[in-house]
Amino acid sequence: MVTTRPPRHRPDSSGSGGGAAWLERWQVPLYLASLALGAAVGYLWPAGALGFGTAINPVLMVLLYATFLGVPFARIRAAFADVRFMACVVVLNFVVVPLVVFALSRPVAFDPSLLVGVLLVLLCPCVDYVMVFTRLGGGDAGRLVAASPVQMLLQMVLLPLFLWLFAGGAVVAAIHWAPFARAFLLLIVVPLVLSVLTQQLARRQGAARVVMRAMESAMVPLMMGTLMVVVASQFGHVAAQFGLLVRVVPLFVGFLVVMPVLANLIGRLGGQPVVIRRTLAFTGSTRNSLVVLPLALALPPEMALAASVVVTQTLVELLGMVTFVRVIPRLIRQRPGPGRGAPGQDVRAIGGGAGLMAVTLRS
């Protein structure tokens, strides 16, 4: 389940609770199955793309409302209590990541639609299913819960600035900001405001608490439905533009290779323990694709390929996260040295036999 609280270790004995626990336990393969189903539907029934495209906005509104409900905006002050962790998160996602994205995006800088798609999706850190993969990969999802409202607000403020800096004034000027602004208002601001109001009401009204519990229980089906609808609606575009979209796949793979190394380095410089460095690896690598997708869909027709770029990144990232769940705990781990368990060194190669990059991970 795409949730922002640690999983229950003892399954609920009730039917609904047991079902929610089962969905949470199997959410990763369920997400992959939804992607495969969406691709199959898009391939076998291309005429249905228009209908699925019409369903994207309503589905995304519900999903983002449920996602934002799990972001504890009332705990923003508490997020700053752990100054070193918050500093690591902010530096990683809003200083280091933009530098990496700028470098990675240069090979597609000649094509505004590819460039804007890459920038939109890679500049925004994930605030939803990153919690899932962080838990599965041995990180501290609770810390990310506290940091999520800060990350959400910072990306909303800084994204226009980064677009202007990295894409240039001419590209930014070509964007028709009216539909972009409407999409931002309808699909980001409205669910965000409603979620904050629901959280406030839940403090004193039982009905609001029921809504929050219901939306939390529905997160896995909502994410599955959204992934299926998005892929089914965009599969034809992705297939038709495969020759262009294939250019961004190495960029997304490169991002997944580089970011855990840099996240681990930032964590070490910040004096963070192993579990927090794993957490940084996940937050630095996962992106907010489903949040920025409505913005990509609102771009002018000459930049329509940007939405397919975002969908392509989602496919690459989810496959990467399945790998990360097993790889990150081995790359970033505590290894006692001689004597009384003093920290030692662990040298691993990222990329396995391909030897893409060697990095020393010191506990």
Side-chain angles (χ1 to χ4, degrees):
M1 175 177 164
V2 180
T3 181
T4 54
R5 69 181 186 183
R8 292 179 292 273
H9 296 290
R10 289 177 295 183
D12 194 338
S13 59
S14 68
S16 59
W22 185 89
L23 288 171
E24 181 174 343
R25 187 176 303 114
W26 293 99
Q27 59 192 302
V28 173
L30 287 172
Y31 294 159
L32 294 176
S34 300
L35 292 173
L37 177 61
V41 171
Y43 175 75
L44 296 173
W45 188 31
L50 181 60
F52 286 115
T54 304
I56 287 180
N57 281 355
V59 170
L60 279 174
M61 284 188 70
V62 178
L63 175 69
L64 293 174
Y65 169 66
T67 298
F68 294 150
L69 275 179
V71 177
F73 293 99
R75 294 173 56 186
I76 292 181
R77 183 180 302 176
F80 288 97
D82 190 344
V83 176
R84 288 198 301 174
F85 172 71
M86 182 56 63
C88 288
V89 169
V90 171
V91 169
L92 177 65
N93 274 321
F94 301 103
V95 177
V96 175
V97 165
L99 294 175
V100 171
V101 171
F102 176 78
L104 286 175
S105 64
R106 293 310 89 191
V108 295
F110 68 93
D111 188 318
S113 59
L114 292 178
L115 177 61
V116 171
V118 168
L119 295 178
L120 273 177
V121 72
L122 290 187
L123 288 170
C124 295
C126 183
V127 295
D128 41 62
Y129 59 55
V130 63
M131 315 296 176
V132 175
F133 294 109
T134 300
R135 284 201 314 271
L136 296 175
D140 187 342
R143 297 290 184 92
L144 283 185
V145 170
S148 57
V150 177
Q151 295 211 84
M152 189 69 214
L153 295 174
L154 280 177
Q155 65 186 270
M156 291 168 65
V157 171
L158 293 176
L159 180 59
L161 174 63
F162 287 139
L163 284 176
W164 180 75
L165 288 174
F166 297 165
V171 172
V172 174
I175 297 175
H176 301 165
W177 290 100
F180 194 90
R182 283 196 297 270
F184 184 81
L185 177 65
L186 182 64
L187 297 168
I188 305 296
V189 176
V190 170
L192 185 64
V193 171
L194 289 176
S195 69
V196 172
L197 291 176
T198 305
Q199 290 180 29
Q200 294 295 322
L201 289 172
R203 296 179 177 181
R204 55 185 182 274
Q205 292 190 9
R209 290 192 291 272
V210 170
V211 170
M212 291 189 66
R213 286 194 296 269
M215 297 306 291
E216 180 185 9
S217 298
M219 275 303 301
V220 172
L222 281 173
M223 180 66 78
M224 291 171 60
T226 302
L227 290 172
M228 195 279 288
V229 167
V230 167
V231 173
S233 68
Q234 297 296 311
F235 184 83
H237 299 292
V238 172
Q241 302 292 337
F242 182 77
L244 289 174
L245 291 172
V246 73
R247 299 176 180 177
V248 302
V249 172
L251 309 184
F252 296 145
V253 173
F255 185 82
L256 291 175
V257 170
V258 169
M259 286 315 303
V261 179
L262 296 178
N264 183 64
L265 177 61
I266 294 296
R268 288 177 58 186
L269 292 175
Q272 298 296 312
V274 167
V275 67
I276 297 302
R277 295 193 337 244
R278 292 174 181 168
T279 304
L280 293 172
F282 279 98
T283 187
S285 303
T286 51
R287 304 289 92 190
N288 229 4
S289 56
L290 293 180
V291 174
V292 301
L293 179 61
L295 306 182
L297 290 170
L299 291 169
E302 59 269 24
M303 293 186 184
L305 192 59
S308 297
V309 172
V310 173
V311 174
T312 302
Q313 190 276 338
T314 304
L315 300 174
V316 173
E317 178 177 280
L318 284 173
L319 293 174
M321 288 303 108
V322 173
T323 304
F324 270 29
V325 166
R326 295 188 177 274
V327 170
I328 293 299
R330 298 182 181 184
L331 291 177
I332 305 177
R333 65 178 183 173
Q334 186 83 27
R335 248 188 101 173
R340 296 180 299 170
Q345 285 187 337
D346 185 20
V347 180
R348 289 289 183 271
I350 292 184
L356 295 178
M357 185 179 303
V359 57
T360 299
L361 303 173
R362 188 189 304 271
S363 299

